[in-house]
Amino acid sequence: MVSRPDKGGWTLARRLGLWWRFVAVVLVGLAPGLASGRELSVADTHVEDYPTVQALKLMGKLLADRSQGRLTLKVYHSRQLGEEKETIRQAQMGAVDLVRVNLAPFNELVPETVVPSLPFLFRSVQHMHKVMDGPLGAEILKAFERHGLVGLAYYDSGARSFYTAKKMIQQPADLAGLRIRVQQSPLFMAMVEALGAIPVPLAYGQVQVGLSTGVVDGAENNIPSYQEAGHFRTAGYYGLTEHTMAPEVLAMSKKVWDGLSPEDQIMIRKAAQDSVPMMRRWWQEREESSRTMVVRGGAMVEEVDKKPFALLMRPLYDRFAADPDLKDLVRRVQAVE
Ligand code: GTR
């Protein structure tokens, strides 16, 4: 005969036993998922509604959908993780997983990034897209791997132009002796020097204070950044020199990348690249809306004859692309129809 425990005690013990078994099963069941699930961090200097940040959010959504929630992206926008040069360093160490940065702060680290940053290199936005979307763009992304990073995709950044607090820059002579903020890149410093101005390399987050305290007389950037950072309120003269079209780049920590499965690597690269077409749409809209906003805010935006600027900046090609491989890359970019 099977002995039966006392009804009340048996029920309690059984309830507890079942409960713990249930908890254990759930934990064991979840464990593999938890171990392989991953939230990737990405740093961007821009505010939440800026096209680069929106594109990163789209990439995160694509990644989460395609991996059934296993891979997600946490976007640290608005410089939450620091200035661009700092976030690049963090990505090299694996402290942040991805960075969205302009090519300029990479110029010293990844020499190939100098080429698409060169003044007046691209003949049009179409030319820039054709180069960066093609094998030459891929070659430059590949070059990041020698420096602890994996290049994933490019985002648009329009064209950069000069703006100052006191006068419209119509010709190079207007820049003579002015202190102009540039990105932390020897090429960008030399561009401003070639025009007779004094370059002041500052991180993006310091430019507004620099302008309002008079530490710098002006700066150069695309109109969406000019608007976003509020520079147009202090430096209301924006001359369309459009001297460089250095695009933005999305790069991943190689340390982190190397720890991922080949399937996840493919999924991440694809999600990054699939966010590009929408980013370009948002970028175009933002260029227009930012221009309207700065003009409404009292800034003047004027066309400028670019030829004298291009002429003075021309010697930088020999100086910054002196290396035969870089020279050849310049030639191949120019040959793209
Ligand atoms: C913006 C760019 C940023 C940053 C900034 C700057 O156009 O999107 O990544 O490079 O310019 O001037 O520092």
Side-chain angles (χ1 to χ4, degrees):
M1 234 182 112
V2 182
S3 66
R4 287 171 184 242
D6 146 66
K7 212 181 168 203
W10 194 85
T11 309
L12 183 67
R14 191 174 175 196
R15 272 203 199 132
L16 277 175
L18 279 179
W19 169 246
W20 283 114
R21 205 173 308 153
F22 171 75
V23 171
V25 166
V26 169
L27 284 180
V28 169
L30 280 182
L34 286 176
S36 55
R38 177 134 202 180
E39 182 183 79
L40 299 165
S41 54
V42 55
D44 193 314
T45 193
H46 289 301
V47 294
E48 197 163 5
D49 71 352
Y50 201 85
T52 53
V53 177
Q54 287 306 306
L56 292 173
K57 290 198 170 179
L58 170 62
M59 173 186 169
K61 189 174 172 333
L62 296 175
L63 210 50
D65 288 351
R66 294 171 184 177
S67 67
Q68 275 92 46
R70 204 171 40 78
L71 294 175
T72 54
L73 204 55
K74 174 123 178 75
V75 185
Y76 291 92
H77 55 81
S78 312
R79 272 192 297 288
Q80 289 170 67
L81 299 183
E83 299 285 359
E84 294 194 330
K85 281 248 175 178
E86 293 157 20
T87 60
I88 293 173
R89 188 81 203 101
Q90 289 168 23
Q92 284 179 301
M93 295 184 311
V96 60
D97 300 315
L98 296 108
V99 281
R100 195 294 310 157
V101 173
N102 189 252
L103 281 186
F106 278 115
N107 286 171
E108 277 178 292
L109 184 67
V110 185
E112 289 80 353
T113 63
V114 162
V115 173
S117 310
L118 282 168
F120 301 104
L121 174 78
F122 298 115
R123 298 184 294 275
S124 62
V125 175
Q126 291 70 23
H127 180 215
M128 186 269 289
H129 284 165
K130 196 141 182 227
V131 170
M132 303 317 280
D133 292 348
L136 301 181
E139 191 176 317
I140 299 167
L141 284 181
K142 187 87 189 135
F144 282 77
E145 288 180 28
R146 291 193 284 276
H147 309 279
L149 295 155
V150 177
L152 297 179
Y154 300 105
Y155 286 156
D156 277 25
S157 193
R160 299 175 76 97
S161 293
F162 289 104
Y163 48 92
T164 81
K166 297 209 180 94
K167 59 178 165 187
M168 185 62 76
I169 303 302
Q170 288 283 11
Q171 47 195 354
D174 294 330
L175 279 162
L178 294 189
R179 293 169 61 81
I180 300 294
R181 177 272 170 170
V182 288
Q183 299 189 84
Q184 291 154 299
S185 147
L187 170 65
F188 278 71
M189 292 181 69
M191 281 191 215
V192 160
E193 256 162 6
L195 302 174
I198 304 155
V200 182
L202 285 179
Y204 188 50
Q206 295 167 3
V207 186
Q208 181 52 39
V209 174
L211 285 168
S212 54
T213 55
V215 166
V216 293
D217 301 302
E220 50 88 59
N221 217 319
N222 53 47
I223 295 189
S225 291
Y226 175 58
Q227 174 261 317
E228 171 210 49
H231 300 169
F232 69 99
R233 294 199 189 93
T234 329
Y237 298 93
Y238 189 100
L240 289 158
T241 50
E242 301 189 317
H243 50 274
T244 167
M245 279 192 202
E248 317 285 359
V249 68
L250 181 55
M252 183 150 183
S253 167
K254 188 157 189 314
K255 242 187 187 162
V256 177
W257 178 263
D258 288 344
L260 297 171
S261 68
E263 295 76 37
D264 284 356
Q265 291 176 347
I266 290 171
M267 206 187 284
I268 290 170
R269 193 186 288 282
K270 180 120 190 9
Q273 291 181 350
D274 288 349
S275 67
V276 172
M278 267 318 283
M279 191 283 166
R280 288 185 181 165
R281 283 246 296 273
W282 289 326
W283 179 257
Q284 266 183 12
E285 290 166 14
R286 182 73 178 222
E287 277 190 324
E288 281 172 31
S289 62
S290 290
R291 189 167 171 158
T292 308
M293 276 168 82
V294 300
V295 170
R296 265 200 210 130
M300 283 167 65
V301 179
E302 278 184 11
E303 292 295 331
V304 170
D305 176 13
K306 301 178 181 113
K307 274 184 238 91
F309 293 89
L311 210 65
L312 286 172
M313 288 176 166
R314 183 66 226 177
L316 301 182
Y317 279 60
D318 286 339
R319 201 166 129 204
F320 285 88
D323 173 281
D325 290 342
L326 294 189
K327 205 176 218 144
D328 186 54
L329 189 52
V330 171
R331 188 192 55 72
R332 287 182 291 145
V333 169
Q334 288 169 333
V336 172
E337 289 298 328

